Amino acid sequence: MAFKIASSPHINTRSLTSGVMFRVVLCLIPGIGAQTYFFGFGTLVQLALAISVALTAEALVMVLRKRPVMSTLSDNSALVTASLLAIAIPPLAPWWMIVIGVLFAIVIVKHLYGGLGHNVFNPAMAAYVLLLVSFPVQMTSWVAPQSLAINPADLNSSLQVIFSHSATMTSEYFQLGYDAVAMATPLDTIKTDLSMGLTATESLHKAIFSGSVGVGWFWVNICYLLGGLCLLKMKVIRWQISTAIIVSILICSGFGFLISPDTHVSPLVHIFSGGTMLAAFFIATDPVSAATSPRGRLIFGAMIGVLIYVIRTFGGYPDAVAFAVLLANMCAPFIDHYIRPRTYGHRSGNAL
């Protein structure tokens, strides 16, 4: 019997990479459905754009590299990258932003390093950070939940804004109906209110929170949690990274809330706001850019959770998922080097 040597991801010897990636996309569907329900059809438009650009870019790169095109496209890795980036950006972001982001993710972050299995950073999160740093206004302009908006974003209006983007039209048509700032996410609202001298309790009484967790965002995170549990059930991902992220955020935010409830929100808000569940189950668990050993995955996930809390609380960005994941990606080789299983037969004193 011959041994086949291949690059990561090494997930399940009985599963092809294409099957694994396709299951990831399937498990994203509940969260995508929730985003579409609460924030309009812009999410689906961004998905269609991202997938089209990703497949085209990957095919062209394969032609330039003189590699087989169809076998590369059929591994579904570009589909996953495009989907993650599309659901991470605001639904009504202009079309050229998703094009720039996907091209950067596929051409630079993925193929410049050698393609699937060789990229150091998570391609979707690297592209997200590029867009956030380059276009901060557009990347923080989320529409209000449909139930609170004056004019809900239907398919026709979403297409108009995405392909003939007008900041004035966006703010006038899709702002909150009462007593709130237009297009501010729950985490952004809290950070802004705290900087203006309001307490966390006063901020949570705004319409976007409905007294507890952000309207729409709670159910979006619940749906990504359900999708993530399906991934665990199918053994597509391991439990260590996801668990470590959630537990570390709960511990950090719990201490902060106990020490100063006026300036820190409850752990529930941190867990069910922003991209927490998406990061815990679909982004940080990328088998290529994450740590690989069981203990290493726990450390890797805990690092991401702590960084998410620290940047959210003390940094300049309301949600810190992308930055936390990329910083942890940089540390993954170091973690794998020092946190690795003991070689069978070695004494504990000789093991690293």
Side-chain angles (χ1 to χ4, degrees):
M1 181 178 67
F3 289 98
K4 181 180 179 181
I5 301 175
S7 59
S8 57
H10 308 295
I11 300 175
N12 189 329
T13 55
R14 295 182 181 271
S15 300
L16 296 175
T17 300
S18 58
V20 170
M21 296 296 177
F22 188 68
R23 290 173 193 169
V24 172
V25 174
L26 287 180
C27 290
L28 282 170
I29 291 177
I32 293 171
Q35 280 191 225
T36 304
Y37 178 80
F38 286 105
F39 300 106
F41 287 94
T43 299
L44 299 181
V45 177
Q46 300 289 354
L47 268 171
L49 275 172
I51 293 171
S52 301
V53 174
L55 295 179
T56 303
E58 183 132 283
L60 292 175
V61 170
M62 287 296 99
V63 170
L64 292 174
R65 295 180 63 187
K66 299 180 179 180
R67 301 285 181 85
V69 175
M70 293 309 300
S71 61
T72 302
L73 293 180
S74 62
D75 67 16
N76 293 324
S77 60
L79 180 64
V80 172
T81 297
S83 299
L84 291 176
L85 182 59
I87 60 182
I89 72 171
L92 298 183
W95 64 270
W96 46 264
M97 284 183 57
I98 192 65
V99 171
I100 293 173
V102 170
L103 288 176
F104 180 77
I106 299 297
V107 178
I108 305 298
V109 185
K110 182 180 179 182
H111 284 290
L112 192 64
Y113 285 89
L116 180 65
H118 301 281
N119 47 285
V120 179
F121 300 103
N122 183 292
M125 290 301 96
Y128 180 90
V129 168
L130 170 75
L131 295 177
L132 182 61
V133 173
S134 304
F135 313 105
V137 174
Q138 291 89 342
M139 285 294 289
T140 54
S141 296
W142 276 81
V143 297
Q146 299 282 71
S147 60
L148 300 180
I150 295 176
N151 298 302
D154 57 19
L155 179 59
N156 184 51
S157 57
S158 298
L159 288 170
Q160 290 182 17
V161 174
I162 291 171
F163 289 100
S164 59
H165 196 75
S166 168
T168 304
M169 178 183 176
T170 304
S171 61
E172 287 179 353
Y173 274 74
F174 309 114
Q175 63 184 344
L176 291 173
Y178 49 90
D179 190 29
V181 179
M183 300 176 297
T185 65
L187 292 172
D188 191 26
T189 300
I190 292 171
K191 182 172 285 290
T192 301
D193 289 346
L194 291 176
S195 67
M196 296 173 62
L198 297 177
T199 65
T201 303
E202 290 172 333
S203 182
L204 290 175
H205 278 90
K206 289 192 171 182
I208 195 172
F209 292 102
S210 187
S212 55
V213 184
V215 175
W217 293 94
F218 173 78
W219 291 109
V220 168
N221 276 275
I222 286 291
C223 288
Y224 283 125
L225 170 60
L226 293 176
L229 293 177
C230 290
L231 289 178
L232 288 172
K233 178 67 174 177
M234 293 185 290
K235 297 183 179 180
V236 173
I237 62 174
R238 305 288 200 273
W239 62 270
Q240 290 94 341
I241 293 176
S242 304
T243 303
I245 290 175
I246 295 172
V247 170
S248 58
I249 292 178
L250 285 173
I251 292 174
C252 292
S253 58
F255 274 117
F257 185 67
L258 287 174
I259 294 171
S260 179
D262 287 338
T263 57
H264 294 77
V265 293
S266 70
L268 201 64
V269 175
H270 279 282
I271 290 297
F272 294 110
S273 293
T276 303
M277 292 301 173
L278 181 64
F281 292 98
F282 293 94
I283 296 174
T285 53
D286 172 26
V288 177
S289 56
T292 56
S293 65
R295 283 194 301 159
R297 287 193 290 266
L298 286 171
I299 295 172
F300 181 82
M303 178 184 298
I304 292 175
V306 171
L307 286 171
I308 287 175
Y309 174 76
V310 169
I311 298 174
R312 281 180 178 178
T313 306
F314 306 106
Y317 293 95
D319 200 355
V321 165
F323 293 100
V325 170
L326 293 182
L327 289 171
N329 288 161
M330 295 173 62
C331 299
F334 179 84
I335 294 172
D336 281 337
H337 180 74
Y338 287 101
I339 308 296
R340 55 188 178 186
R342 186 178 67 179
T343 304
Y344 182 76
H346 280 210
R347 294 182 179 179
S348 59
N350 295 331
L352 290 177

